[in-house]
Amino acid sequence: MCHFILAVLPRTASPSAILAACDATRFAFTPLADGAVAPLAADEVAYRATRARCDCGTEIGADLVDPATGRSDREIHELRRAERLAKRKSWSPARLARWAEERETRAAHLREAARYHADHALTAEDWCAMIRSVIEQGASLRIGLVKHFGEPESVVAHRERLRLANLAPAFLRRFEDDVLYEFAR
């Protein structure tokens, strides 16, 4: 499983106009099926924002990741929860070993992705420039971003509406998973 950055735009926004307003070599705005991100308003559409296979190692939400382990607060919480659950279920030593191996494989993928993205990924500054460009050039009146761990489909826990004036790289680095951050003038 991977991290994905999803964009949410009004249905009236044209992906081609949005790509014209930003760096089309790095952003894609590939539409997701209706219902892939829920709940959305009837006039909203969700997109995969980047051309990358996944967005693991992204700077979006990176300040919530422990640099020593490569795990987010949420992943650490889920890991502890899973360990407690495994103890309650009385997993066999073999099952516990398989689980630990799967967990380490995932952590290794995240570390590898972080190294790759350190050289190739969009920075928080790139994301800020794209958001500003889309809104200031009139390609869309608003744009929302969601960072999600798992498959590209997402369930939005809640929505935060923000003014474009509040947009800063440091803010993007504190994004929480599954929160739709919507920027508008």
Side-chain angles (χ1 to χ4, degrees):
M1 294 218 268
C2 297
H3 274 110
F4 295 94
I5 306 297
L6 309 175
V8 175
L9 294 158
R11 203 169 285 280
T12 57
S14 163
S16 59
I18 289 168
L19 288 174
C22 63
D23 184 353
T25 63
R26 303 182 82 191
F27 294 97
F29 293 95
T30 307
L32 297 173
D34 281 344
V37 177
L40 290 182
D43 69 335
E44 293 177 321
V45 179
Y47 298 85
R48 275 288 315 280
T50 66
R51 295 192 176 280
R53 181 186 69 80
C54 71
D55 297 305
C56 289
T58 182
E59 282 191 11
I60 303 285
D63 285 355
L64 300 178
V65 174
D66 179 351
T69 63
R71 293 188 176 100
S72 68
D73 292 341
R74 186 177 125 209
E75 288 171 308
I76 291 168
H77 172 75
E78 288 176 0
L79 176 63
R80 289 183 183 141
R81 188 178 142 270
E83 287 172 345
R84 288 191 305 271
L85 182 62
K87 287 178 184 175
R88 269 190 269 141
K89 287 186 172 186
S90 301
W91 282 359
S92 70
R95 175 63 183 110
L96 283 169
R98 279 194 313 276
W99 176 74
E101 184 179 324
E102 290 168 5
R103 183 183 68 197
E104 184 51 40
T105 299
R106 170 70 186 133
H109 169 73
L110 287 175
R111 287 190 297 272
E112 181 182 323
R115 281 192 299 275
Y116 171 83
H117 283 281
D119 294 332
H120 300 92
L122 295 160
T123 64
E125 289 80 4
D126 294 330
W127 285 98
C128 285
M130 180 274 292
I131 292 166
R132 284 186 197 290
S133 180
V134 164
I135 293 172
E136 289 172 355
Q137 292 186 28
S140 179
L141 296 176
R142 66 184 195 274
I143 183 170
L145 295 179
V146 178
K147 180 182 179 187
H148 175 68
F149 178 74
E151 297 300 321
E153 294 77 25
S154 173
V155 173
V156 174
H158 68 277
R159 179 183 298 240
E160 290 191 25
R161 290 197 166 102
L162 304 152
R163 295 177 48 92
L164 189 59
N166 297 333
L167 177 63
F171 178 78
L172 296 182
R173 289 185 191 105
R174 292 190 307 272
F175 264 30
E176 295 179 31
D177 285 5
D178 299 322
V179 175
L180 174 58
Y181 294 93
E182 187 176 62
F183 297 92
R185 281 191 192 262

